[in-house]
Coordinates of all heavy atoms in Angstrom, one line a residue:
V1 N -139.0 40.1 -0.5 CA -138.0 39.1 -0.7 C -137.0 39.7 -1.6 O -137.3 39.8 -2.9 CB -138.6 37.8 -1.3 CG1 -137.5 36.9 -1.5 CG2 -139.6 37.3 -0.3
H2 N -135.8 39.9 -1.1 CA -134.7 40.5 -1.9 C -133.7 39.5 -2.2 O -133.1 38.9 -1.3 CB -134.1 41.7 -1.3 CG -135.2 42.8 -1.0 ND1 -135.7 43.6 -2.1 CD2 -135.9 43.1 0.1 CE1 -136.5 44.3 -1.5 NE2 -136.7 44.1 -0.2
T3 N -133.5 39.1 -3.6 CA -132.4 38.1 -3.9 C -131.8 38.6 -5.1 O -132.2 39.5 -5.8 CB -133.1 36.8 -4.0 OG1 -132.1 35.7 -4.3 CG2 -134.0 36.8 -5.2
S4 N -130.7 38.0 -5.5 CA -130.0 38.3 -6.7 C -130.6 37.5 -8.0 O -131.2 36.5 -7.8 CB -128.5 38.0 -6.6 OG -128.3 36.5 -6.5
A5 N -130.2 38.1 -9.1 CA -130.6 37.4 -10.3 C -130.0 36.1 -10.5 O -130.6 35.1 -10.9 CB -130.4 38.2 -11.6
S6 N -128.8 35.9 -10.0 CA -128.0 34.6 -10.1 C -128.6 33.6 -9.3 O -128.8 32.4 -9.4 CB -126.6 34.8 -9.9 OG -126.3 35.3 -8.5
N7 N -129.1 34.1 -8.0 CA -129.7 33.1 -7.1 C -131.1 32.7 -7.6 O -131.4 31.5 -7.4 CB -130.0 33.9 -5.7 CG -130.5 32.9 -4.6 OD1 -130.0 31.8 -4.5 ND2 -131.4 33.4 -3.9
L8 N -131.9 33.6 -8.3 CA -133.1 33.2 -8.9 C -132.8 32.1 -10.0 O -133.5 31.2 -10.2 CB -133.8 34.4 -9.4 CG -135.1 34.2 -10.2 CD1 -136.1 33.5 -9.3 CD2 -135.8 35.3 -10.9
C9 N -131.8 32.4 -10.8 CA -131.4 31.4 -11.9 C -131.1 30.1 -11.3 O -131.5 29.0 -11.9 CB -130.3 32.0 -12.8 SG -130.8 33.4 -13.8
Y10 N -130.4 30.1 -10.2 CA -129.9 28.8 -9.6 C -131.2 28.1 -9.0 O -131.4 26.9 -9.2 CB -129.0 29.1 -8.4 CG -128.5 27.9 -7.6 CD1 -127.6 27.1 -8.1 CD2 -129.1 27.6 -6.4 CE1 -127.1 25.9 -7.5 CE2 -128.6 26.5 -5.7 CZ -127.7 25.6 -6.3 OH -127.2 24.6 -5.7
F11 N -132.0 28.9 -8.5 CA -133.4 28.3 -7.9 C -134.1 27.7 -9.1 O -134.7 26.6 -8.9 CB -134.1 29.4 -7.2 CG -135.4 28.9 -6.6 CD1 -135.5 28.2 -5.3 CD2 -136.6 29.1 -7.2 CE1 -136.6 27.8 -4.8 CE2 -137.9 28.7 -6.7 CZ -137.9 28.0 -5.4
L12 N -134.3 28.4 -10.2 CA -135.0 27.9 -11.4 C -134.4 26.6 -11.9 O -135.1 25.7 -12.4 CB -135.2 29.0 -12.4 CG -136.1 30.2 -12.0 CD1 -135.9 31.4 -13.0 CD2 -137.6 29.8 -11.9
K13 N -133.1 26.6 -12.0 CA -132.5 25.5 -12.5 C -132.7 24.2 -11.7 O -133.0 23.2 -12.2 CB -130.9 25.7 -12.5 CG -130.2 24.6 -13.3 CD -128.8 25.0 -13.6 CE -128.1 23.9 -14.5 NZ -127.0 24.4 -15.2
N14 N -132.6 24.5 -10.4 CA -133.0 23.3 -9.5 C -134.4 22.9 -9.6 O -134.7 21.8 -9.5 CB -132.7 23.7 -8.0 CG -131.3 23.7 -7.7 OD1 -130.4 23.1 -8.4 ND2 -130.9 24.5 -6.7
L15 N -135.3 23.9 -9.8 CA -136.8 23.5 -10.0 C -136.9 22.6 -11.3 O -137.6 21.8 -11.3 CB -137.5 24.8 -10.2 CG -138.2 25.4 -8.9 CD1 -138.9 26.8 -9.2 CD2 -139.1 24.5 -8.2
Q16 N -136.2 23.1 -12.4 CA -136.3 22.4 -13.5 C -135.8 21.0 -13.5 O -136.5 20.0 -13.9 CB -135.4 23.2 -14.8 CG -135.5 22.5 -16.0 CD -134.7 23.3 -17.0 OE1 -134.0 24.3 -16.8 NE2 -134.7 22.9 -18.2
N17 N -134.8 20.8 -12.7 CA -134.2 19.4 -12.5 C -135.3 18.6 -11.7 O -135.6 17.4 -11.9 CB -133.0 19.5 -11.8 CG -131.9 19.9 -12.7 OD1 -132.0 19.9 -13.9 ND2 -130.8 20.5 -12.1
E18 N -135.9 19.2 -10.7 CA -136.9 18.5 -9.9 C -138.1 18.1 -10.7 O -138.7 17.1 -10.6 CB -137.4 19.4 -8.8 CG -136.5 19.6 -7.6 CD -137.0 20.6 -6.5 OE1 -138.2 20.7 -6.4 OE2 -136.2 21.1 -5.8
L19 N -138.8 19.0 -11.5 CA -140.0 18.8 -12.2 C -139.7 18.0 -13.6 O -140.7 17.5 -14.1 CB -140.5 20.1 -12.6 CG -140.8 21.1 -11.4 CD1 -141.5 22.4 -11.9 CD2 -141.9 20.4 -10.5
A20 N -138.4 17.9 -13.9 CA -138.1 17.1 -15.2 C -138.8 17.7 -16.3 O -139.4 16.9 -17.3 CB -138.3 15.7 -15.0
Q21 N -139.2 18.9 -16.4 CA -139.9 19.6 -17.5 C -139.3 21.0 -17.5 O -138.9 21.5 -16.6 CB -141.3 19.6 -17.3 CG -141.9 20.4 -16.3 CD -143.4 20.4 -16.2 OE1 -144.0 19.7 -16.9 NE2 -144.0 21.1 -15.3
P22 N -139.3 21.6 -18.8 CA -138.7 23.0 -18.8 C -139.6 24.0 -18.0 O -140.7 24.1 -18.2 CB -138.8 23.3 -20.3 CG -139.2 22.1 -21.0 CD -139.6 21.0 -20.1
V23 N -138.8 24.6 -17.2 CA -139.5 25.8 -16.5 C -138.8 27.1 -16.9 O -139.5 28.1 -17.0 CB -139.3 25.6 -14.9 CG1 -139.8 26.8 -14.2 CG2 -140.0 24.3 -14.4
I24 N -137.6 27.0 -17.2 CA -136.8 28.1 -17.7 C -136.9 28.2 -19.3 O -136.8 27.2 -19.9 CB -135.3 28.0 -17.3 CG1 -135.2 27.8 -15.8 CG2 -134.6 29.3 -17.8 CD1 -133.9 27.5 -15.3
N25 N -137.0 29.5 -19.8 CA -137.1 29.6 -21.2 C -135.6 29.6 -21.7 O -135.1 30.7 -22.1 CB -137.8 30.9 -21.6 CG -139.1 30.9 -21.1 OD1 -139.8 29.8 -21.0 ND2 -139.7 32.1 -20.8
T26 N -135.0 28.4 -21.9 CA -133.7 28.4 -22.5 C -133.7 27.8 -23.9 O -134.6 27.0 -24.2 CB -132.8 27.4 -21.6 OG1 -133.4 26.2 -21.5 CG2 -132.6 28.0 -20.2
P27 N -132.8 28.2 -24.7 CA -132.7 27.7 -26.1 C -132.5 26.2 -26.1 O -131.7 25.7 -25.3 CB -131.8 28.5 -26.7 CG -130.9 29.1 -25.7 CD -131.7 29.2 -24.5
K28 N -133.1 25.5 -26.9 CA -132.9 24.0 -27.1 C -131.5 23.8 -27.8 O -131.3 24.5 -28.7 CB -133.9 23.4 -27.8 CG -135.3 23.4 -27.2 CD -136.4 22.7 -27.9 CE -137.6 22.8 -27.2 NZ -138.7 22.1 -27.9
I29 N -130.8 22.9 -27.3 CA -129.5 22.5 -28.0 C -129.8 21.7 -29.1 O -130.4 20.6 -29.0 CB -128.6 21.9 -27.0 CG1 -128.2 22.8 -25.8 CG2 -127.3 21.4 -27.6 CD1 -127.4 22.1 -24.6
T30 N -129.4 22.1 -30.2 CA -129.6 21.3 -31.4 C -128.2 20.9 -32.0 O -127.3 21.6 -31.9 CB -130.4 22.0 -32.5 OG1 -129.7 23.2 -32.9 CG2 -131.8 22.3 -32.0
E31 N -128.2 19.7 -32.7 CA -126.9 19.3 -33.3 C -127.0 19.7 -34.8 O -128.0 19.4 -35.4 CB -126.9 17.8 -33.1 CG -125.6 17.2 -33.6 CD -125.4 15.7 -33.4 OE1 -126.1 15.3 -32.4 OE2 -124.8 15.0 -34.2
T32 N -126.0 20.3 -35.2 CA -125.8 20.7 -36.6 C -125.1 19.6 -37.4 O -124.0 19.1 -37.0 CB -125.0 22.0 -36.7 OG1 -125.6 23.1 -35.9 CG2 -124.9 22.4 -38.2
V33 N -125.7 19.1 -38.4 CA -125.0 18.0 -39.1 C -124.8 18.6 -40.7 O -125.7 19.1 -41.2 CB -125.9 16.8 -39.3 CG1 -125.4 15.7 -40.1 CG2 -126.3 16.3 -37.8
Q34 N -123.6 18.4 -41.0 CA -123.3 18.9 -42.4 C -123.5 17.6 -43.3 O -123.0 16.5 -43.0 CB -121.8 19.2 -42.5 CG -121.5 20.6 -41.9 CD -120.1 21.1 -42.2 OE1 -119.3 20.3 -42.5 NE2 -120.0 22.4 -42.1
V35 N -124.3 17.9 -44.4 CA -124.4 16.8 -45.4 C -123.8 17.2 -46.7 O -123.9 18.2 -47.2 CB -126.0 16.6 -45.6 CG1 -126.3 15.4 -46.6 CG2 -126.7 16.4 -44.3

């Protein structure tokens, strides 16, 4: 099965949305608050 890296990323992103749990090791978005 020959595919591109971008196609795999697209497939994983869709999987992540379907499963509603993190499948891809992406950094978590955090909010920076200045005090």
